[in-house]
Amino acid sequence: MAMNWWPLIKIIPIKTNLQFVRFAKFFGVLSAVLCIASITSIFYPGMVMGIDFRGGAAMELTTSDGRTLDLEQVRSAVDDLGMGDVGVQGIDNDSSAILRFQIPEGQEQAAVVARVQSAITADVGAVTYSGVSIVGSKVSSELFTSGLLALAAAVVLMFAYIWFRFEPQFGFGAVAGLVHDVILVFGLIVLFRLEFNLNMVAAILTVIGYSMNDTVVVFDRLRENLRKYKTMPLRDVIDLSINETLSRTIITGVTAIMVLAALAVFGGVALFGFSIALMAGIIIGTYSSVYVAAPIILLWGVKRGEFAEDAKPIKLGMASRP
């Protein structure tokens, strides 16, 4: 029995009969344009690489007496040392900040960090340093390669799973949706100038899992309906299957986005980019299940009995809650 304690659930109609396939061509062209734009943006202007993939050091600064930390003064103190790219980002309270800087090649990492801390203390005053992390250029390159391999392996394994559980065309549709989701999430990371680090890799992997789960739900219902309505036109079966799972998809997606929104607001700087990427990925993943994965099934076709020419069409429109 469905739980009715959440009032917002009553806003969602129990049954919808929307024509999704009717607009598949339009959204297919839109998706292609957005994917091309996202791929282009990866190379120009390019992603903002974090310390994990660029190499360097990061640390958190906090004034000892709780006074306001002058971010420009911190940046100036580190710039005078010739550390390359320097990033200073304030945290919620004005007395703390996160400092990121590159370590010049050939110099000892620990000595560089000590020199930076001394310069900041001399210019700013008594400061407490915490969460110091150092990543070498070789390690950062290996982490970036490993991250891309992890994403590729996830897509390949998802394709194998869908192919084993359904038909090859289902697997191709699911993988097309996953690739679409990953590309657009990368595009949004560039658009919002979010720092690409290991947290972002985790966010994209989570998006892949969520998108695949949503696609499997639609495909599972589609397979059931193909067996149930053997003479119904394929486009109508696809519309019917999406409509039957729409309520569940909306409730699941909105619930996840509410949690991630709270995480973005209260999770601090370290989790802000992760939360934003994941929220965007959930929306994109839901969209791709409807307008990327499912339409490919229509283009490819499904091996089943011939459709009856006099099959009764479905009248599609918005059904209201009784």
Side-chain angles (χ1 to χ4, degrees):
M1 180 179 295
M3 296 181 65
N4 295 320
W5 54 268
W6 187 26
L8 292 178
I9 293 179
K10 297 181 180 180
I11 299 177
I12 304 173
I14 294 177
K15 183 180 179 181
T16 58
N17 292 306
L18 303 176
Q19 292 180 313
F20 292 100
V21 175
R22 180 180 179 182
F23 303 100
K25 290 183 179 179
F26 169 78
F27 285 107
V29 173
L30 177 63
S31 294
V33 171
L34 291 177
C35 285
I36 293 173
S38 297
I39 293 174
T40 303
S41 69
I42 293 174
F43 298 97
Y44 181 82
M47 294 187 295
V48 179
M49 291 294 185
I51 296 298
D52 297 326
F53 298 133
R54 187 178 55 190
M59 66 181 71
E60 184 174 333
L61 318 176
T62 305
T63 56
S64 302
D65 52 4
R67 69 183 185 282
T68 300
L69 186 63
D70 190 335
L71 302 184
E72 288 303 321
Q73 193 174 4
V74 173
R75 186 192 306 275
S76 176
V78 181
D79 280 337
D80 292 341
L81 299 177
M83 295 289 104
D85 292 337
V86 177
V88 183
Q89 188 171 23
I91 307 180
D92 293 337
N93 55 338
D94 296 333
S95 62
S96 300
I98 294 178
L99 170 67
R100 297 179 177 89
F101 57 91
Q102 291 180 293
I103 296 179
E105 194 163 340
Q107 298 189 24
E108 187 180 351
Q109 297 172 345
V112 172
V113 171
R115 193 162 71 249
V116 169
Q117 292 177 346
S118 299
I120 294 174
T121 302
D123 285 6
V124 179
V127 175
T128 302
Y129 303 95
S130 61
V132 180
S133 60
I134 301 174
V135 180
S137 57
K138 182 178 180 180
V139 175
S140 64
S141 177
E142 292 176 353
L143 285 174
F144 184 71
T145 303
S146 299
L148 294 181
L149 289 176
L151 295 177
V155 172
V156 171
L157 291 175
M158 292 295 183
F159 173 73
Y161 168 73
I162 294 295
W163 193 334
F164 174 78
R165 181 169 177 176
F166 300 98
E167 298 293 330
Q169 60 267 40
F170 285 85
F172 183 75
V175 169
L178 292 182
V179 173
H180 167 273
D181 298 344
V182 171
I183 291 175
L184 289 194
V185 171
F186 269 109
L188 287 174
I189 290 173
V190 176
L191 177 64
F192 293 117
R193 306 308 293 166
L194 300 176
E195 187 178 89
F196 187 74
N197 49 31
L198 289 177
N199 284 345
M200 285 299 182
V201 175
I204 295 175
L205 289 173
T206 305
V207 168
I208 290 176
Y210 182 92
S211 177
M212 178 56 67
N213 177 70
D214 195 52
T215 302
V216 166
V217 170
V218 175
F219 281 179
D220 208 37
R221 184 59 60 89
L222 176 59
R223 182 174 59 177
E224 293 177 4
N225 287 334
L226 285 172
R227 295 171 179 171
K228 186 177 180 180
Y229 304 102
K230 295 183 179 180
T231 60
M232 183 183 293
L234 181 57
R235 63 186 299 118
D236 289 345
V237 179
I238 293 175
D239 275 337
L240 177 64
S241 303
I242 296 174
N243 278 287
E244 288 180 345
T245 58
L246 186 61
S247 177
R248 173 260 178 204
T249 299
I250 293 176
I251 293 173
T252 303
V254 170
T255 303
I257 289 175
M258 289 171 62
V259 174
L260 290 169
L263 187 63
V265 174
F266 302 107
V269 177
L271 295 177
F272 179 78
F274 171 85
S275 305
I276 296 298
L278 203 47
M279 281 192 289
I282 288 175
I283 297 173
I284 294 171
T286 302
Y287 162 83
S288 69
S289 298
V290 176
Y291 283 115
V292 178
I296 287 179
I297 307 300
L298 180 63
L299 292 175
W300 192 316
V302 177
K303 292 182 179 179
R304 63 184 184 121
E306 294 292 334
F307 302 131
E309 295 181 359
D310 57 346
K312 185 177 180 180
I314 300 176
K315 294 181 179 180
L316 297 175
M318 173 62 79
S320 60
R321 176 179 288 274

